[in-house]
Amino acid sequence: MADVRPEEVSAILRRQLSGFEKEVDVYDVGTVLQIGDGVARVYGLTKALMSELVEFPHGVFGMVLNLEEDNVGCILFGESSEIKEGDTVKRTGKVASMPVGEKMLGRVVTPLGQPTDGRGPITTEKVMPIERKALGVIQRQPVKEPLQTGVKSVDAMIPIGRGQRELIIGDRQTGKTAIALDTIINQKYTHTEKAKKEGIKPVYCIYVAIGQKSSTLAQVVDKLQQEGAMEYTTVIAATASYPAPMQYIAPYSGATLGEYFRDSGRHALVVYDDLSKHAQSYRQVSLLLRRPPGREAYPGDVFYLHSRLLERASKLSEELGGGSLTALPVIETQAGDVSAYIPTNVISITDGQIYLESGLFNSGVRPGINIGISVSRVGGSAQIRAMKKIAGRLRIDLAQYRDLEAFAKFGSDLDKATQAQLLRGSRLVELLKQGQYVPMPVEKQVVSIFAGTNGYLDEIPLEHVLRFERELLEMMELKNPGLLLTIAEKKDLSDDTVARLKKILREFTDAFKASVRA
Amino acid sequence: MKNVRVARRYAKALMAVAEERNMLDRTAADLDRIGALVRGSRELRLFLARPIVSEEKKRNVLRNLFGPSVGPLTMEFLLQLVVKNREPVLLEIIEQFEELRDEKLGIVSVDVTSAVEFSPPQEKELTQKLELHTRKKVRVRFALDKAVRGGFLVRIGDTVLDASLRHQLEVLRERFTESGPLTN
């Protein structure tokens, strides 16, 4: 703004003013009949369309959600306290939409796309409607590329593919958000030169916070910034202080932004955290609009509410650029009750679920994923070959361990084979433990799990397993970076690689055992 | 405004009965007169709206006030309103009745708001223009509002034709200030 000359100012003013002297403006209006709690009934507005944006006084916008015989039900996206009965409501002729573009990355925005991070306005060229129809069968193709979460137990046994919808479900305080955040942070490597060489395309992330505490969200944003993950991430904030209508549209805005990346041939990941709160805010809005309540007082269309949202996740066909939109919805259960209404709905819509248990979490298994009942229905075909080869063994070993776990207390009374299985299982469970915000690249995961399933860990005392893993990976990075690179680039374990890996592991294990004894 | 639905139902019923008995014009004239009186008298409005006053008293007052001048159908209707506790909605019912009658006769009522009073020839010209525009007979109600600042705005049903200075200034302000994504 520093050097604008006076003549330029008048030129700008003239440009702004041109076309201003329109003779008559025509618009449709209605009158507020009733207002309160984020919804309004409006008389008139006879030509209003479904989900059209309407303008109330004091710059408050609303969206048409009910078209009735003699009035229109609207939800409000702003303060309703300043609006009175009898106020005039104007039609805008537009449906609710969201600005999209690269400029949104690194920002915290409201569900309507206005920035709330105090870093100035966002200028985007494109605006897309919030509610869009999901793509049909012809435009899609099966999921085939992996979306690495960086969490060992997920990438090995519950693999997620780009374009998949994987539910993260669990009680409060079981680490649901942690898995989602780790996944976002782990996408950082997809934006590096190294990933480009390996043929891995960058993944843009969108984190939609629905009904969370603002302080929690501030921590999340702060963490993402520290990890350098905000560069490719947009946070859509509809915290608990936002009116319910805003929380209701937030995930759709997130999907719209994700679709922008998908439709331009890129890859996007959207985290909806969480959909239980989303269903609750929709219930609030619906009941206030006097729609009849159904089970658990949710309206009849809560299933459609979530199915139309999650159906928008997709992997596009090559003709359409091959972009993808992966969805990670989060559901919070009450006391582990997955048979409640919303959890069963979302479980049936998604392509699998990651089930987190507070029991596991509290006993030190973190992330507290219950491998037994967690599934991924489509991700398997997206896993890299190297991982696929070793993950099968891991899954079997862990399943056997779970079956035998009850006998563990008999200790030495058990036969040799059972004891060996228990030993192996306990080592693997220990190996799958992982800290928060430390996602692990897939090649390191492969080495780590290879050591576990091939019995190298059986010789190590349980309490030294994590140190073993840490030092093994350090050693690999320092002394054998070539081998890690081979796994990352070939994405497969050839016989030669296996032989080399076995040799290195043998030497390392022997050296490690000596250090334990000392 | 809140009682539009109720008012519309009562007005429809009255209309139907009046047509049946061939008393539409008489009833309309009666309601016009009652409307004018109720609008003019704050006391009467408060009296009708007060739930504390007994039904009996309300009926007596209505009979004394309107009994000699209005037709039997209108009187019957007023008393019935009291029985149903809908007498506070009387004014709105009258408005709805007028609207229904206008619909029947093909008359559109138009509100014109301006900052400065129209001169009679201007009024005539505007009315003619509006009749051309709507292709119907037009009843124009003129109102003054200084907030319009200049020009005028015409409201036909739900549609507003806005040629006011106020609106133009608002548009101008939107252009100059950074407009949010909603107004793009």
Side-chain angles (χ1 to χ4, degrees), chain A residues 48-349:
Chain A
L49 308 168
M50 194 66 180
S51 45
E52 181 177 335
L53 217 54
V54 290
E55 191 183 354
F56 289 83
H58 307 289
V60 175
F61 281 87
M63 193 173 97
V64 176
L65 217 59
N66 259 15
L67 295 173
E68 283 164 41
E69 196 188 337
D70 58 354
N71 70 74
V72 172
C74 301
I75 54 175
L76 296 172
F77 297 136
E79 254 324 298
S80 55
S81 56
E82 285 184 286
I83 299 163
K84 302 183 298 294
E85 186 204 337
D87 274 349
T88 303
V89 188
K90 246 193 245 177
R91 270 184 66 191
T92 62
K94 281 169 280 193
V95 293
S97 34
M98 161 98 179
V100 293
E102 281 74 23
K103 296 269 174 60
M104 298 296 275
L105 296 172
R107 305 298 300 264
V108 183
V109 298
T110 67
L112 290 166
Q114 294 139 329
T116 56
D117 51 6
R119 287 172 46 216
I122 306 174
T123 42
T124 57
E125 291 101 61
K126 237 177 138 179
V127 177
M128 272 161 46
I130 282 169
E131 291 272 8
R132 292 178 80 206
K133 203 169 167 289
L135 292 176
V137 181
I138 302 300
Q139 290 98 326
R140 298 182 187 233
Q141 65 171 318
V143 170
K144 58 175 190 185
E145 299 129 298
L147 183 99
Q148 302 294 352
T149 63
V151 181
K152 278 177 282 186
S153 30
V154 175
D155 285 346
M157 287 175 294
I158 325 158
I160 300 172
R162 294 187 180 184
Q164 188 178 346
R165 305 156 292 174
E166 182 80 8
L167 170 66
I168 302 173
I169 187 169
D171 278 2
R172 56 178 190 88
Q173 291 295 313
T174 50
K176 299 182 299 295
T177 305
I179 289 190
L181 284 187
D182 276 353
T183 309
I184 292 179
I185 291 169
N186 193 45
Q187 301 316 311
K188 192 172 182 184
Y189 93 100
T190 64
H191 293 263
T192 57
E193 281 300 317
K194 184 169 168 276
K196 205 172 176 184
K197 239 187 284 161
E198 290 164 16
I200 297 167
K201 287 196 183 144
V203 177
Y204 299 89
C205 301
I206 297 140
Y207 180 81
V208 187
I210 309 155
Q212 296 185 22
K213 284 176 287 191
S214 299
S215 60
T216 317
L217 183 64
Q219 277 172 15
V220 166
V221 174
D222 195 47
K223 191 71 212 174
L224 289 177
Q225 239 145 17
Q226 274 174 34
E227 300 286 339
M230 273 311 270
E231 281 158 40
Y232 53 87
T233 304
T234 304
V235 174
I236 295 182
T239 53
S241 59
Y242 279 71
M246 282 284 225
Q247 296 181 31
Y248 155 60
I249 62 159
Y252 301 100
S253 313
T256 298
L257 185 54
E259 278 172 340
Y260 165 76
F261 290 113
R262 179 197 69 185
D263 294 344
S264 51
R266 289 172 284 185
H267 298 264
L269 163 76
V270 207
V271 176
Y272 306 113
D273 197 359
D274 68 87
L275 288 188
S276 324
K277 298 246 174 51
H278 178 237
Q280 282 169 8
S281 48
Y282 185 58
R283 171 169 68 185
Q284 181 186 330
V285 165
S286 292
L287 291 175
L288 288 168
L289 286 169
R290 297 174 175 261
R291 293 183 180 176
R295 181 174 162 189
E296 289 176 29
Y298 288 106
D301 60 341
V302 263
F303 187 86
Y304 181 54
L305 176 82
H306 288 147
S307 64
R308 73 170 188 264
L309 172 69
L310 294 169
E311 266 300 296
R312 289 166 71 174
S314 49
K315 166 78 185 154
L316 291 192
S317 64
E318 296 303 334
E319 294 86 71
L320 289 173
S324 76
L325 177 61
T326 312
L328 284 184
V330 175
I331 287 276
E332 185 183 295
T333 51
Q334 300 298 321
D337 182 16
V338 281
S339 57
Y341 193 23
I342 303 300
T344 43
N345 275 354
V346 182
I347 286 172
S348 75
I349 296 163

Side-chain angles (χ1 to χ4, degrees), chain B residues 100-165:
Chain B
L100 281 176
R101 200 171 51 124
D102 284 351
E103 256 172 48
K104 193 146 275 175
L105 300 176
I107 299 175
V108 190
S109 80
V110 175
D111 290 298
V112 176
T113 317
S114 58
V116 188
E117 222 168 319
F118 278 78
S119 65
Q122 278 176 330
E123 276 184 15
K124 208 172 153 201
E125 198 187 331
L126 184 67
T127 311
Q128 276 170 359
K129 281 259 162 74
L130 286 171
E131 269 172 359
L132 260 170
H133 175 77
T134 56
R135 290 192 198 137
K136 276 180 184 158
K137 247 193 221 147
V138 170
R139 173 164 358 94
V140 190
R141 278 181 294 218
F142 290 92
L144 277 183
D145 184 1
K146 285 270 182 268
V148 173
R149 283 173 208 277
F152 62 93
L153 51 101
V154 179
R155 182 168 173 172
I156 312 164
D158 278 347
T159 310
V160 175
L161 309 174
D162 202 333
S164 72
L165 203 54

Side-chain angles (χ1 to χ4, degrees), chain B:
Chain B
M1 230 10 190
K2 247 188 214 157
N3 299 311
V4 171
R5 281 172 111 163
V6 172
R8 195 150 189 105
R9 277 182 200 145
Y10 277 88
K12 248 188 196 158
L14 181 61
M15 188 93 170
V17 179
E19 271 183 342
E20 214 176 272
R21 299 194 194 165
N22 246 334
M23 292 170 72
L24 193 56
D25 289 339
R26 175 79 208 271
T27 315
D30 285 348
L31 286 183
D32 270 353
R33 212 150 354 102
I34 296 172
L37 194 66
V38 177
R39 269 188 210 107
S41 161
R42 187 177 115 89
E43 276 175 327
L44 183 56
R45 271 204 312 273
L46 289 177
F47 170 79
L48 286 173
R50 193 127 315 181
I52 266 177
V53 184
S54 72
E55 245 182 71
E56 195 50 47
K57 269 190 196 154
K58 280 193 182 169
R59 264 191 302 220
N60 282 336
V61 167
L62 286 175
R63 236 183 247 125
N64 290 336
L65 268 178
F66 303 118
S69 55
V70 304
L73 175 65
T74 318
M75 199 63 236
E76 215 177 294
F77 178 72
L78 287 176
L79 298 180
Q80 189 62 27
L81 278 186
V82 177
V83 174
K84 295 281 183 193
N85 291 324
R86 291 297 194 187
E87 69 281 1
V89 205
L90 181 60
L91 259 186
E92 274 151 308
I93 296 174
I94 294 172
E95 275 164 22
Q96 289 297 322
F97 187 87
E98 279 167 6
E99 241 173 63
L100 281 176
R101 200 171 51 124
D102 284 351
E103 256 172 48
K104 193 146 275 175
L105 300 176
I107 299 175
V108 190
S109 80
V110 175
D111 290 298
V112 176
T113 317
S114 58
V116 188
E117 222 168 319
F118 278 78
S119 65
Q122 278 176 330
E123 276 184 15
K124 208 172 153 201
E125 198 187 331
L126 184 67
T127 311
Q128 276 170 359
K129 281 259 162 74
L130 286 171
E131 269 172 359
L132 260 170
H133 175 77
T134 56
R135 290 192 198 137
K136 276 180 184 158
K137 247 193 221 147
V138 170
R139 173 164 358 94
V140 190
R141 278 181 294 218
F142 290 92
L144 277 183
D145 184 1
K146 285 270 182 268
V148 173
R149 283 173 208 277
F152 62 93
L153 51 101
V154 179
R155 182 168 173 172
I156 312 164
D158 278 347
T159 310
V160 175
L161 309 174
D162 202 333
S164 72
L165 203 54
R166 177 177 63 183
H167 180 71
Q168 294 197 9
L169 287 171
E170 269 167 19
V171 172
L172 194 60
R173 182 171 57 204
E174 260 169 41
R175 288 244 181 121
F176 276 116
T177 54
E178 215 132 34
S179 49
L182 292 170
T183 46
N184 280 342

